[in-house]
């Protein structure tokens, strides 16, 4: 198909979509109508168009600089369909423009012939959970120092075994697009030094750590710490994460045991943006029933992250997540037209960390289970936030405007200031009023782009 024919075809589709209520949703969220394809054995015409679609001009921070085109310039030799872990790992490598279609369920704990692996298969011979618990029980080890010695060293080797199997590095100039209801399970997409990357239309499930670390010095009671995000963006610029669904699958943290009086935490972030990453747009995703959802910024150390971590969050759904939606350090982060559904499993939504500059505009909040508006924001050494146009319902009350900043400041000291110090300009979509946001996010998440 010639480029002119492709452009004309897209214009016709958009005109047809615009004539219906469904079309309004499609245009607001960036989703696209499903288009019949003539080749049932591989990516169809519409999937191929989506795979070569760059981020639109002005669509958030990832449109800045050189913009984000991913693998749109890939030649035929660098277009792949991955159906298992080994195919996916091979397809993602290299710096040349590439398109990687994902088909079916790609499971990091299955071999290419479909055989299942377990945590025991990845464990170092010197490690078992039983031996670890016996050695580092606070009644035996104490609480003054973190674990060390042969069994801790064996755990570290076990972690390396799992990382080699389940953490897949994404090269620069890459588009990863799920076909149909494609799912990545027990895997981490590691975008590290991978500039100009697009990830769309994928279900991400259960990047569980087989070998969490016990740290008795973490907090007053100690904590279990896990590795592995579902998507991790590090040292990367111009990244677009769009129309994906992130969850713990059928292995939620609420089902995990308690050891040493603390929950055995096996999941880390859903989509973390850290280590000097910059110019990122996270759009029309669904984050559901996960605890530590999105960390923006590596640590409180004033250094390389300063002036970076510029991120846009638009038209995402945060459904029943516990915290970090997002938690921000240093970055100028634009959070507009997102839906937050807050329930019992909850700490806070937006964490204001050191030198953070968060701009919250026209977001919708549904607060249930006795959760009050003052809990939406949390102080992590932040000083100010711009908040405007928040709308929603608290408990069984009537929907209406919410002033989250005023609610926080009434309940807490010191107060947050009301000016984050900047105003977003990179927005391809005019923000809807807060009351309309749930409508605009109905087509967020994986499986909504019509890619077959």
């Amino acid at each position: 198909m010639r480029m002119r024919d492709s452009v004309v075809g897209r214009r016709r589709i958009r005109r047809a979509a615009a004539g219906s209520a469904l079309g309004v949703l499609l245009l607001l969220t960036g989703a696209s109508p499903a288009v019949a394809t003539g080749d049932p054995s591989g990516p169809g015409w519409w999937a191929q168009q989506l795979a070569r679609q760059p981020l639109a001009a002005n669509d958030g921070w990832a449109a800045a600089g050189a913009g984000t085109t991913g693998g749109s310039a890939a030649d035929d030799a660098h277009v792949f369909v991955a159906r298992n872990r080994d195919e996916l790992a091979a397809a993602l490598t290299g710096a040349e423009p590439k398109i990687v279609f994902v088909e079916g369920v790609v499971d990091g704990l299955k071999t290419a012939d479909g055989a299942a692996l377990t945590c025991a298969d990845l464990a170092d011979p010197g490690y078992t959970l039983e031996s670890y618990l016996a050695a580092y029980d606070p009644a035996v080890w104490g609480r003054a120092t973190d674990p060390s010695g042969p069994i801790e060293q064996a755990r570290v080797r076990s972690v390396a075994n799992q990382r080699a199997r389940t953490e897949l590095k994404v090269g620069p100039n890459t588009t990863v697009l799920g076909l149909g209801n494609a799912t990545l399970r027990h895997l981490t997409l590691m975008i590290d030094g991978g500039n100009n990357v697009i990830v769309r239309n994928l279900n991400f499930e259960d990047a569980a750590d087989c070998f969490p670390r016990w740290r008795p010095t973490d907090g007053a009671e100690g904590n279990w710490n896990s590795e592995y995000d579902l998507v991790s963006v590090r040292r990367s610029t111009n990244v677009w994460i769009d129309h994906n669904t992130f969850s713990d699958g059928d292995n939620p943290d609420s089902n995990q045991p308690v050891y040493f009086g603390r929950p055995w935490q096996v999941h880390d972030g859903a989509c973390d943006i850290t280590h000097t990453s910059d110019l990122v747009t996270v759009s029309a995703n669904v984050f559901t029933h996960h605890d530590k959802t999105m960390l923006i910024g590596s640590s409180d150390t004033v250094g390389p992250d300063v002036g970076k971590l510029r991120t846009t969050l638009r038209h995402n759904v945060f459904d029943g997540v516990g915290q970090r939606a997002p938690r921000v350090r240093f970055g100028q982060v634009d959070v507009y037209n997102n839906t937050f559904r807050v329930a019992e499993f909850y700490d806070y939504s937006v964490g204001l960390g050191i030198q953070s500059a968060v701009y919250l505009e026209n977001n919708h909040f549904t607060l249930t289970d006795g959760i009050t508006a003052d809990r939406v924001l949390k102080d992590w050494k932040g000083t100010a936030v711009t908040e405007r146009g928040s709308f929603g319902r608290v408990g069984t009350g009537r929907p209406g405007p919410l002033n989250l900043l005023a609610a926080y400041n009434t309940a807490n000291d010191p107060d947050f200031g009301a000016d984050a110090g900047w105003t977003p300009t990179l927005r391809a979509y005019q923000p809807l009023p807060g009351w309309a946001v749930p409508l605009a996010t109905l087509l967020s998440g994986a499986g909504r782009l019509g890619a077959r």
Side-chain angles (χ1 to χ4, degrees), residues 117-179:
L117 300 172
T118 67
C119 290
D121 295 320
L122 302 175
D124 182 88
Y127 174 91
T128 65
L129 177 59
E130 292 75 17
S131 64
Y132 192 87
L133 294 174
Y136 303 116
D137 187 324
V140 175
W141 181 260
R143 294 183 176 273
T145 59
D146 290 336
S148 61
I151 299 178
E152 168 61 13
Q153 293 166 6
R155 186 198 67 82
V156 171
R157 292 192 296 271
S158 302
V159 169
N161 294 340
Q162 181 174 356
R163 178 175 290 111
R165 177 74 203 174
T166 64
E167 190 175 278
L168 304 185
K169 187 169 182 178
V170 182
N173 307 309
T174 302
T175 292
V176 186
L177 178 69
L179 298 175

Side-chain angles (χ1 to χ4, degrees), residues 275-276 296-307 309 327 329-331 353-355 380-381:
H275 295 82
T276 72
I296 300 176
S298 311
S299 74
D300 288 350
T301 302
V302 177
D305 278 346
V306 175
L309 302 169
R327 176 180 172 181
R329 298 178 173 106
F330 301 109
I354 185 169
Q355 296 185 25
W380 292 103
K381 302 182 184 178

Side-chain angles (χ1 to χ4, degrees), residues 91-96 98 169-175 190-197:
L92 293 171
T93 60
E96 62 284 330
K98 68 191 82 60
K169 187 169 182 178
V170 182
N173 307 309
T174 302
T175 292
M190 175 60 72
I191 306 170
D192 190 348
N195 297 336
N196 191 32
V197 170

Side-chain angles (χ1 to χ4, degrees), residues 123-361:
D124 182 88
Y127 174 91
T128 65
L129 177 59
E130 292 75 17
S131 64
Y132 192 87
L133 294 174
Y136 303 116
D137 187 324
V140 175
W141 181 260
R143 294 183 176 273
T145 59
D146 290 336
S148 61
I151 299 178
E152 168 61 13
Q153 293 166 6
R155 186 198 67 82
V156 171
R157 292 192 296 271
S158 302
V159 169
N161 294 340
Q162 181 174 356
R163 178 175 290 111
R165 177 74 203 174
T166 64
E167 190 175 278
L168 304 185
K169 187 169 182 178
V170 182
N173 307 309
T174 302
T175 292
V176 186
L177 178 69
L179 298 175
N181 201 35
T183 299
L184 298 187
R185 185 174 295 150
H186 304 135
L187 286 168
T188 297
L189 277 192
M190 175 60 72
I191 306 170
D192 190 348
N195 297 336
N196 191 32
V197 170
I198 296 172
V199 178
R200 305 183 77 187
N201 204 50
L202 284 163
N203 292 287
F204 291 93
E205 293 183 357
D206 192 22
D209 188 344
C210 288
F211 313 104
R213 178 189 182 194
W214 169 244
R215 296 199 62 202
T217 61
D218 182 358
E221 300 176 354
N223 276 302
W224 292 95
N225 292 178
S226 60
E227 308 233 5
Y228 314 118
D229 306 324
L230 291 163
V231 172
S232 182
V233 183
R234 303 182 178 186
R235 290 172 283 265
S236 299
T237 300
N238 292 104
V239 177
W240 182 25
I241 310 295
D242 177 68
H243 276 94
N244 304 287
T245 297
F246 298 81
S247 78
D248 294 341
D250 60 1
N251 185 35
D253 282 335
S254 58
N255 287 354
Q256 304 304 322
V258 173
Y259 296 125
F260 307 155
R262 302 297 294 159
W264 201 51
Q265 176 70 260
V266 299
H267 297 109
D268 198 18
C271 180
D272 283 3
I273 301 161
T274 60
H275 295 82
T276 72
S277 290
D278 198 20
L279 307 182
V280 180
T281 295
V282 181
S283 59
N285 301 281
V286 172
F287 300 88
T288 181
H289 298 94
H290 183 91
D291 185 16
K292 300 175 181 178
T293 304
M294 183 182 298
L295 179 65
I296 300 176
S298 311
S299 74
D300 288 350
T301 302
V302 177
D305 278 346
V306 175
K308 298 186 182 295
L309 302 169
R310 291 171 291 180
T311 304
T312 297
L313 277 67
R314 66 156 181 86
H315 300 112
N316 300 289
V317 176
F318 297 95
D319 181 18
V321 302
Q323 57 180 307
R324 300 185 182 180
R327 176 180 172 181
V328 180
R329 298 178 173 106
F330 301 109
Q332 292 181 333
V333 178
D334 184 15
V335 183
Y336 79 94
N337 277 179
N338 300 278
T339 293
F340 295 80
R341 294 194 287 264
V342 172
E344 180 180 6
F345 176 63
Y346 185 71
D347 185 357
Y348 67 94
S349 292
V350 180
L352 304 176
I354 185 169
Q355 296 185 25
S356 61
V358 177
Y359 199 101
L360 284 171
E361 184 170 11

Side-chain angles (χ1 to χ4, degrees), residues 21 23 32 81 106 112 125 150 161 172 185 201 245 263 336 351 377 382 395 401 412 418 442 446 452:
S32 306
V81 178
V106 175
N161 294 340
R185 185 174 295 150
N201 204 50
T245 297
Y336 79 94
L377 304 177
N412 298 275
L442 280 176
R452 295 290 188 273

